Amino acid sequence: MMDWIRLKRVDIFNLQNVEYGTITISPRDNNEPVDFKADVLGIYGQNGSGKTTFVHAMGLLKKILNGHSLRDEALPYITEGKEEAGMMAAFQLSVSGTMYYTEYKVMLTKEKMDGNAEDGEKGPGVYVSQEELKVSAFDGTKWEKKHRLIAQDQGKEIVFSPQKLAKEIIGEKNDRLINLLVAKRLARRQYTSFFFSTDAFPLLAGNGGTVLGRIFKALQAYGRRYLYVIDTRGWGPINMNAGLPLYFRVENKKNKRLAAGAVFFRLDKPTVLPKELYEPLKKVIAKMNPVLGELIPHLQLELKDMGEQVMKNGKEGMALEAISIRSNSKVPLRYESEGIKKIVAILNMFIAAYADPSITLVVDELDAGIFEYLLGELLAIFESSGKGQLIFTSHNLRPLETLQKKAIVFTTVNPQNRYIRLKNIKPNNNLRSVYYGDIQLGGTPESLYEKTNNMAIEYALKRITRPVDKTEGPAWHIDRD
């Protein structure tokens, strides 16, 4: 049986405006056999109520599992007035024929600048202060009791616990103990995870022959190969018509090598890229075009070779321009609409998540610039016949009418309970209408909308725009003299 991994649940603590929130990604019971049906999850709610916070949390998780530094990345995300934040990600996975349920919890702590900070001249950062991994195995008939497999605390001198596991990994090898102590110290100095740092990971995971090794390798692979997070920073260049981030994933089935990431195409002139990227990108475009032509009738994409060029680093590169083709008419992609460019940017990852049960694709503001009927149809198709996981935030309510009720999560005004699903929704209920009704009339355990005062808004607008006196302009007028 093939190996796979699925995100089941995410808990968030003290990130931005979420003091606590939990979202179940896949509501199916762990005891049920995994059928690789798609998990689609839309997060809806008032502006500033925690939708993008979830996206940021998933971005942090990817960095942690990849062993990347959180020094500057995480500081703005910790809730104002709090000294630490964290998250717990639960997974169901199958490795070498054995199925596991595992919970990975990580805590992030603000660095105190008391003269003992690791990097005081740069100001405070955020380091991974605690990590914990709990696991339960499935024996074919039932799940064993969940237990703590490994934990580490940067505030304690011991490398990790429990002591029994430490003895198994370290044994009588003093050099291995020293190497792990150094790795833990380096993780603190470099603001990375200890578990997934380049120094500690090989010593803890080994060759993957133990339960710890198998799960560690699966989680690292998830961060590197299967979790993709696209936040609103990727849409900025598209909105300004300055560039197009093309998110891609190409896997060689023979040697299991993977090329994945994002290539930034300038829209004002050809983009110079390393020559070795040209063939993978051609494969990406070839894979996208059949689907693209169905989404936007008769539209195809092409990379026009504008010739070889030496890059700034001295290596050989190729100048490429993204071209759209309609009825044999070719024009630069920059002249297409914002919505088309956005579809082009994420389409390859959408296709990958549709086909691969282990992929989780997280997209912030998926609806921006995309025709609402097309958005609803795309999500319904993914839900009905896809295999992977698609998590998105949106303000467009069309998906509330096309997706199953369990596929929608709403944010609340309570920072200590940010995410809920609406209950007692009958099959013939229109979730969009129910949502509007709950906003206006209440009826949910948590309020879904912090009401605005129309009269106060109108008064504020009139006050700021009325003339101060007969001789002056409006209050917002700036005297250029």
Side-chain angles (χ1 to χ4, degrees), residues 49-266:
S49 61
K51 299 187 301 298
T52 297
T53 299
F54 181 86
V55 177
H56 289 162
M58 295 304 295
L60 288 175
L61 177 63
K62 184 175 179 67
K63 283 182 172 290
I64 291 167
L65 297 179
N66 277 287
H68 293 168
S69 174
L70 299 181
R71 189 192 192 290
D72 300 315
E73 180 77 14
L75 189 60
Y77 295 156
I78 295 182
T79 302
E80 184 69 26
K82 304 292 184 180
E83 295 303 314
E84 64 177 12
M87 64 182 300
M88 189 283 294
F91 300 89
Q92 191 173 343
L93 58 146
S94 178
V95 185
S96 302
T98 302
M99 193 155 59
Y100 301 95
Y101 174 82
T102 184
E103 295 178 351
Y104 172 64
K105 183 178 179 180
V106 57
M107 297 301 295
L108 313 175
T109 301
K110 287 182 181 179
E111 197 169 42
K112 289 183 172 61
M113 306 309 293
D114 56 1
N116 297 318
E118 301 290 347
D119 203 4
E121 69 276 8
K122 291 185 179 179
V126 172
Y127 64 96
V128 178
S129 55
Q130 297 176 28
E131 294 174 275
E132 182 183 63
L133 189 69
K134 293 182 178 180
V135 66
S136 171
F138 189 66
D139 65 7
T141 57
K142 66 181 185 302
W143 289 92
E144 68 176 23
K145 185 178 179 181
K146 183 173 61 180
H147 65 281
R148 187 181 66 172
L149 185 59
I150 188 173
Q152 73 90 8
D153 187 333
Q154 284 287 357
K156 296 182 178 180
E157 292 184 3
I158 61 172
V159 187
F160 59 85
S161 60
Q163 201 64 29
K164 180 180 178 181
L165 178 66
K167 288 181 179 180
E168 291 176 3
I169 293 177
I170 299 171
E172 301 299 325
K173 299 178 181 179
N174 193 51
D175 58 335
R176 179 166 291 187
L177 173 61
I178 293 173
N179 288 337
L180 282 168
L181 285 169
V182 171
K184 186 175 180 180
R185 178 72 171 173
L186 283 173
R188 169 66 178 83
R189 288 180 61 86
Q190 296 170 357
Y191 307 92
T192 68
S193 157
F194 167 63
F195 288 169
F196 298 99
S197 65
T198 54
D199 298 292
F201 184 83
L203 298 173
L204 296 174
N207 60 6
T210 64
V211 172
L212 177 66
R214 288 193 287 270
I215 293 176
F216 264 24
K217 285 182 176 293
L219 292 178
Q220 185 190 65
Y222 181 76
R224 292 182 175 181
R225 302 177 61 189
Y226 300 116
L227 173 60
Y228 297 91
V229 182
I230 303 174
D231 60 23
T232 52
R233 288 174 291 188
W235 307 141
I238 294 178
N239 298 338
M240 297 184 293
N241 205 29
L244 173 78
L246 177 63
Y247 299 90
F248 71 94
R249 171 188 165 94
V250 180
E251 188 165 3
N252 187 323
K253 298 295 183 181
K254 292 182 180 180
N255 55 22
K256 296 184 179 180
R257 293 185 63 184
L258 176 75
V263 171
F264 186 80
F265 278 96
R266 296 192 59 162

Side-chain angles (χ1 to χ4, degrees), residues 313-460:
N313 59 11
K315 295 184 179 181
E316 291 186 358
M318 295 186 67
L320 303 172
E321 183 160 12
I323 302 294
S324 67
I325 307 172
R326 291 177 191 251
S327 303
N328 297 322
S329 176
K330 298 183 178 182
V331 297
L333 185 61
R334 62 177 171 269
Y335 295 116
E336 295 290 355
S337 69
E338 177 185 319
I340 287 179
K341 285 181 282 194
K342 188 169 185 179
I343 289 172
V344 168
I346 68 171
L347 183 55
N348 183 250
M349 291 312 310
F350 184 91
I351 295 170
Y354 177 86
D356 193 324
S358 292
I359 289 182
T360 303
L361 175 60
V362 184
V363 186
D364 199 12
E365 296 189 10
L366 176 62
D367 59 315
I370 299 178
F371 182 48
E372 70 167 357
Y373 187 82
L374 175 61
L375 175 66
E377 297 303 294
L378 267 176
L379 294 173
I381 291 169
F382 192 104
E383 183 183 51
S384 65
S385 57
K387 294 181 179 180
Q389 296 180 302
L390 174 62
I391 304 172
F392 66 95
T393 72
S394 174
H395 294 285
N396 189 302
L397 300 182
R398 165 68 175 162
L400 273 62
E401 300 174 326
T402 62
L403 296 176
Q404 297 183 55
K405 310 301 183 286
K406 67 180 181 181
I408 303 297
V409 166
F410 297 98
T411 59
T412 76
V413 302
N414 182 2
Q416 297 178 351
N417 185 24
R418 273 298 186 195
Y419 308 106
I420 64 171
R421 282 182 169 88
L422 298 187
K423 298 181 179 180
N424 302 319
I425 305 297
K426 298 178 181 178
N428 60 343
N429 286 152
N430 183 307
L431 187 57
R432 177 175 181 155
S433 300
V434 173
Y435 180 45
Y436 271 134
D438 286 340
I439 286 177
Q440 295 170 342
L441 305 175
T444 56
E446 298 284 359
S447 177
L448 302 178
Y449 186 80
E450 189 169 350
K451 296 189 181 298
T452 53
N453 187 320
N454 290 353
M455 292 184 64
I457 295 173
E458 183 179 358
Y459 174 74

